[in-house]
Amino acid sequence: MFAKKASLLDCTLRDGGYINDWEFGHSVITGTYKKLDASGVDYIEVGFLDDRRPFDINRTITPNTEGFNRIFKNVQKKHAIPVAMIDFGTCSLENIGTCDSTFIDGIRVIFKKEKIEQALPFCKAIKDKGYKLFIQAISITAYSDMDMLQYIEKINEIKPDVFSIVDTYGLLDKKRMAHYYDLIDTNLDSDIVLGYHAHNNFQLAFSNSIDFLAQNSNRELVVDATVYGMGKSAGNCPIELLSMHLNQYYGKQYDINQFLEVLDADLMPVYQKQYWGYKYNFYISALQNCHPNYVQYLLDKKTLAISAVNEILATIPEEKKLHYDKQFIEESYIQYQSTIIDDELSVSCLQEELKGKKILLLGPGKSIREYQDVISKFIKDEAAIIISTNFVSDMYDCHYVFVSNAKRYSKLMDTYSQQNSDSKIMITSNVIPFDRPADITLNYRSLMQIGGIKSDNALLLCLSAMMRAGVDKVTLAGFDGFSTGENYFDSSLSYAGNESYSIHNNELIMLELEKLSSEIDIEFLTPSLYESKK
């Protein structure tokens, strides 16, 4: 097995930069390079060339090759070959000096399938400047066999030093990786090194890299990895694991301690602030063969059950799956939520039951516990109808529980059953009932259209429901607004990362409430960040 020539390329300073916006700090950058070089790694990718970004000696992204000369001014090149990456279209040739004038010896160029014709002349110009040329076939799964064969014909004409399979979204398994390998290996010029760059959406980056190296071919190979798998989306193949495998089975002598020193001294502080690696959102994107931004958009809504997220993703057309289209996913989300039903009977029942009554809408904020005496007195004095939104509380006997959030619904029904509540369940049509039928079901889309509302916020939807029922005044309690720290009277209601809503979300809801106040009288019984300052 030692006969096969296999090389290792570390891309921590480049791919890892997606985690910290490439701001490693100058001493960490140079120190990491020196440790990687001392490890015996064959190539070190030092960062991005991107002329949209200003030079910053603390970042591994620079507008021109001179930037890397400044960053590595006092670093001596020893064993490893330093390379940089360009995302085609983000750095002009004018900003790339000749190879003999720069610290870097190679340039890797990435571009998607639709940019091949424009990008290949650029790649040829890079090679003419004296650099080792790496062409990276990103989003490899977007290529049909015929696409790849036509691409390889063009690659053979340019004859780069390395042509790499890049599993951008971590979609490959052993069988599919081997298929691309065989197709390319059979048709690629034998002098061109074949590379592999994995992502860890399916926890297969390491095993796929091992299988790549083990393919039945005498071609020279190079495999990418990063320290501790640091990198974009679900992260990369960990170099400390891959180097161990290469040492054991390929006769290499990489000094693994050097990788561990980089991890311990330089990267662990970053990791503790910003986790990278396998995450369920990247698993879902790989499962659905789609761009991870689609998944994140739907998860950020915090209204959908995971099954619903999967259902929406499954409807994305093939031509859009790997090319993120924000407008498309927004429309898909609204369309999915907008199950049309005949809700006239529900509206009529609601009108009858709420007619002439004082209405108290309860939110899940901490204030419903802190101001329990005030709230209880209001309920008693006003004989108020109590409607809680997206939660059930044992502090108050609610007449209705309004649920517009499918994600909340599944947890809420467990609590509801345990308390054996007599509250009626009022849902919007995007929520699928289970365990027991809903008492009131209202069209989700119709609630979003009242008062020009475009938000899926539960309070705003519930207010719209009150307006459809002919209610002209409501009192609010427990709608505290989002703030840093715990926002809910019950910590189990919290979503991870809800602080990201924070001030922006408060302002948006405040503005919507101001609009609705011309059509329905809204008063706050407890303090709220949603309350207008006017």
Side-chain angles (χ1 to χ4, degrees), residues 148-218:
M148 185 53 66
L149 288 173
Q150 292 171 350
Y151 190 13
I152 292 171
E153 282 186 21
K154 296 179 173 66
I155 292 296
N156 287 339
E157 292 174 7
I158 294 179
K159 203 168 182 179
D161 295 86
V162 180
F163 179 68
S164 288
I165 296 169
V166 182
D167 187 13
T168 305
Y169 302 113
L171 303 176
L172 296 181
D173 56 21
K174 177 179 179 178
K175 185 176 180 180
R176 296 179 74 195
M177 184 277 296
H179 175 76
Y180 281 108
Y181 184 104
D182 291 339
L183 183 67
I184 295 170
D185 181 50
T186 302
N187 295 280
L188 189 67
D189 187 300
S190 61
D191 291 333
I192 301 174
V193 177
L194 185 56
Y196 183 63
H197 181 99
H199 279 271
N200 216 19
N201 300 57
F202 283 148
Q203 290 281 47
L204 293 175
F206 180 41
S207 60
N208 280 349
S209 296
I210 291 174
D211 290 333
F212 174 82
L213 291 167
Q215 295 302 303
N216 186 23
S217 170
N218 293 320

Side-chain angles (χ1 to χ4, degrees), residues 356-386:
K357 303 287 187 179
K358 295 283 186 178
I359 307 299
L360 175 66
L361 302 188
L362 277 184
K366 292 186 295 183
S367 64
I368 64 168
R369 189 178 298 282
E370 297 167 353
Y371 289 81
Q372 188 170 359
D373 290 346
V374 174
I375 295 170
S376 296
K377 184 177 186 302
F378 176 86
I379 294 169
K380 181 180 179 181
D381 291 348
E382 303 294 342
I385 296 289
I386 310 167

Side-chain angles (χ1 to χ4, degrees), residues 187-346:
N187 295 280
L188 189 67
D189 187 300
S190 61
D191 291 333
I192 301 174
V193 177
L194 185 56
Y196 183 63
H197 181 99
H199 279 271
N200 216 19
N201 300 57
F202 283 148
Q203 290 281 47
L204 293 175
F206 180 41
S207 60
N208 280 349
S209 296
I210 291 174
D211 290 333
F212 174 82
L213 291 167
Q215 295 302 303
N216 186 23
S217 170
N218 293 320
R219 182 184 295 277
E220 184 177 347
L221 305 175
V222 60
V223 186
D224 294 5
T226 63
V227 176
Y228 212 51
M230 185 181 190
K232 188 178 183 181
S233 70
N236 302 80
C237 176
I239 200 167
E240 62 276 8
L241 298 182
L242 191 56
S243 59
M244 178 179 67
H245 179 80
L246 285 161
N247 286 351
Q248 186 171 359
Y249 294 104
Y250 291 85
K252 299 293 184 177
Q253 295 182 328
Y254 297 115
D255 184 351
I256 296 173
N257 283 331
Q258 297 294 341
F259 303 132
L260 298 180
E261 287 291 340
V262 172
L263 171 60
D264 184 53
D266 301 325
L267 300 187
M268 191 51 66
V270 181
Y271 181 80
Q272 290 169 344
K273 292 179 180 178
Q274 179 62 54
Y275 170 85
W276 65 79
Y278 177 76
K279 298 178 184 177
Y280 84 118
N281 53 324
F282 296 123
Y283 162 73
I284 294 170
S285 72
L287 177 69
Q288 294 293 345
N289 190 26
C290 70
H291 198 289
N293 285 0
Y294 285 127
V295 180
Q296 198 59 55
Y297 174 86
L298 296 175
L299 292 179
D300 284 347
K301 286 293 183 182
K302 303 183 188 300
T303 61
L304 298 167
I306 289 298
S307 57
V309 171
N310 270 324
E311 287 177 16
I312 295 172
L313 296 174
T315 66
I316 301 174
E318 285 298 321
E319 65 273 14
K320 285 187 176 289
K321 281 198 168 184
L322 297 178
H323 302 277
Y324 181 60
D325 184 331
K326 188 172 186 291
Q327 182 177 351
F328 174 83
I329 196 63
E330 287 175 345
E331 292 171 354
S332 297
Y333 170 74
I334 295 297
Q335 183 63 37
Y336 182 86
Q337 296 281 67
S338 302
T339 303
I340 303 301
I341 61 167
D342 182 356
D343 65 355
E344 289 304 316
L345 181 59
S346 286

